[in-house]
Amino acid sequence: MKNLPLAKVYQLLEPGPVVFLTTAAKGRANVMVMSWHMPVEFEPPRIACVVSNRNFSYAALTATEECVIAIPARGLAAKLVKVGNVSGRRLDKFKAFGLTPLPAARVAAPLVAECFANLECRVIDSRFVPDYGLFVLEVVKAWIDPGQKNPKTIHHRGYGAFAVDGPIIRLKSSKK
Amino acid sequence: MKNLPLAKVYQLLEPGPVVFLTTAAKGRANVMVMSWHMPVEFEPPRIACVVSNRNFSYAALTATEECVIAIPARGLAAKLVKVGNVSGRRLDKFKAFGLTPLPAARVAAPLVAECFANLECRVIDSRFVPDYGLFVLEVVKAWIDPGQKNPKTIHHRGYGAFAVDGPIIRLKSSKK
């Protein structure tokens, strides 16, 4: 995995891919699936995301205020749905579904080796958690896997249907 | 345009399409482009989105607390970039770029006739606007154009590059 400049992080999340969110608390790592996220700042990259208190990861996220957002490409879709269908309460989902946790540099939550990008995050604002489950994260370190060329991300449409990235079009824009 | 049940609205926004946001204040409608949005609740559908105070639409949105999110398909990409490249401060962007405003049912902001879905929204929470430009919206009425079959949405990757929806894959999921 190679360092990714923080100024480029929003380009990964702005298109709306479904992602993994990992946490680690009390010596135990977990991974969930998340689709409700968006950038709120370019640099430092800040991200708003929703993690419900019904998710097992919620307790670890609120206790440690750290997580990793790991972005899967199309080949991980089947594993992703399996991860999303069960709780980590009684299951080591990394082991059960063949995902490889790797140590992160700045947070205790693990990277996911199979993902083409991994974003190490800290919670910087929890004021909106009670009303919306909305956490504001800041990305403190970002990794990209140069071995995965032109990864196609996947976009959840509900009930296990996903749109895979199709053609890329380029239009003349004066904006980020 | 046909009514869309509110329970289905999250399925339109969860995949992360780039959208139009329309407002109307002082007898004047405007349209901007937005990529920073996410669902925060299924039903009633609630949406968090970022509108910067550098956007001309910001004043209308804060004053009226109403807007429309209009979702374009691939054919509107060129117009969308034009809308995103200029401010509405001195230009009627509907007229300049050939977009057709239609009256909405519940808000003063207009629908965009060319979009395959239109979501009439009210601002329900502005507490996070000072820190993040983050508005929480509730969708009060949703429209879908049954004439546009299988619309392909577009996902912004930065600097005028967009991923167009490719193939749809269906996997067995127990979750929304």
Side-chain angles (χ1 to χ4, degrees):
Chain A
M1 300 256 194
K2 209 183 114 200
N3 177 63
L4 178 74
L6 293 180
K8 293 193 170 180
V9 165
Y10 81 94
Q11 297 177 10
L12 295 171
L13 293 179
E14 189 169 316
V18 57
V19 299
F20 291 113
L21 184 101
T22 80
T23 49
K26 299 174 188 168
R28 174 131 141 60
N30 190 36
V31 54
M32 63 172 275
V33 171
M34 180 170 79
S35 274
W36 291 5
H37 59 75
M38 66 175 178
V40 299
E41 185 56 82
F42 289 105
E43 196 178 6
R46 289 178 171 162
I47 298 164
C49 68
V50 175
V51 176
S52 159
N53 58 12
R54 294 182 302 273
N55 290 118
F56 180 58
S57 303
Y58 177 88
L61 184 59
T62 49
T64 65
E65 300 195 309
E66 292 182 352
C67 62
V68 167
I69 292 176
I71 310 179
R74 195 254 173 267
L76 289 174
K79 287 187 183 191
L80 180 128
V81 170
K82 286 177 189 164
V83 168
N85 277 346
V86 301
S87 168
R89 226 162 243 115
R90 283 173 214 87
L91 186 69
D92 179 341
K93 292 200 264 182
F94 285 97
K95 207 171 274 182
F97 304 125
L99 294 171
T100 312
L102 290 179
R106 306 273 308 269
V107 300
L111 313 181
V112 179
E114 291 79 8
C115 287
F116 74 88
N118 278 274
L119 312 176
E120 302 186 23
C121 301
R122 285 195 215 284
V123 176
I124 59 164
D125 198 332
S126 297
R127 285 176 294 163
F128 322 138
V129 173
D131 284 350
Y132 305 105
L134 189 158
F135 294 81
V136 182
L137 312 176
E138 187 166 305
V139 181
V140 293
K141 174 82 183 166
W143 302 94
I144 196 95
D145 177 0
Q148 296 195 43
K149 306 286 182 204
N150 302 314
K152 301 278 187 193
T153 61
I154 52 183
H155 304 261
H156 190 230
R157 295 187 159 207
Y159 300 99
F162 298 86
V164 182
D165 288 339
I168 305 293
I169 53 176
R170 288 173 202 281
L171 297 161
K172 196 161 185 168
S173 174
S174 61
K175 298 285 179 69
K176 281 196 202 175
Chain B
M1 300 255 197
K2 209 183 113 200
N3 178 63
L4 177 75
L6 292 180
K8 294 193 169 180
V9 165
Y10 82 95
Q11 296 177 10
L12 295 171
L13 293 179
E14 189 168 316
V18 57
V19 300
F20 290 114
L21 184 101
T22 80
T23 49
K26 299 175 188 165
R28 173 130 142 59
N30 190 35
V31 54
M32 64 173 272
V33 171
M34 180 170 79
S35 273
W36 290 6
H37 59 76
M38 66 175 177
V40 298
E41 186 55 83
F42 291 105
E43 196 178 6
R46 289 178 170 161
I47 299 163
C49 68
V50 175
V51 176
S52 159
N53 60 12
R54 293 182 301 272
N55 288 119
F56 180 58
S57 302
Y58 177 88
L61 184 58
T62 50
T64 64
E65 300 196 309
E66 293 181 351
C67 62
V68 167
I69 291 176
I71 310 179
R74 193 258 174 266
L76 289 175
K79 286 187 183 190
L80 180 129
V81 170
K82 285 177 190 165
V83 168
N85 277 346
V86 300
S87 167
R89 225 161 243 116
R90 282 173 213 89
L91 185 69
D92 178 341
K93 292 200 263 183
F94 285 97
K95 206 171 275 182
F97 303 125
L99 294 171
T100 312
L102 290 179
R106 307 274 306 272
V107 301
L111 313 180
V112 178
E114 290 79 7
C115 287
F116 74 89
N118 278 273
L119 312 175
E120 303 185 21
C121 302
R122 284 194 216 283
V123 175
I124 60 164
D125 198 333
S126 298
R127 285 176 294 162
F128 321 139
V129 173
D131 283 351
Y132 305 105
L134 189 158
F135 294 81
V136 182
L137 311 176
E138 186 166 305
V139 180
V140 294
K141 174 81 183 166
W143 302 95
I144 195 96
D145 177 0
Q148 296 195 42
K149 307 286 183 204
N150 302 315
K152 302 280 187 192
T153 60
I154 51 181
H155 304 261
H156 191 230
R157 295 187 159 208
Y159 300 99
F162 299 87
V164 182
D165 287 340
I168 304 294
I169 54 177
R170 288 173 202 281
L171 298 161
K172 197 163 183 166
S173 175
S174 60
K175 299 286 181 64
K176 279 195 203 176

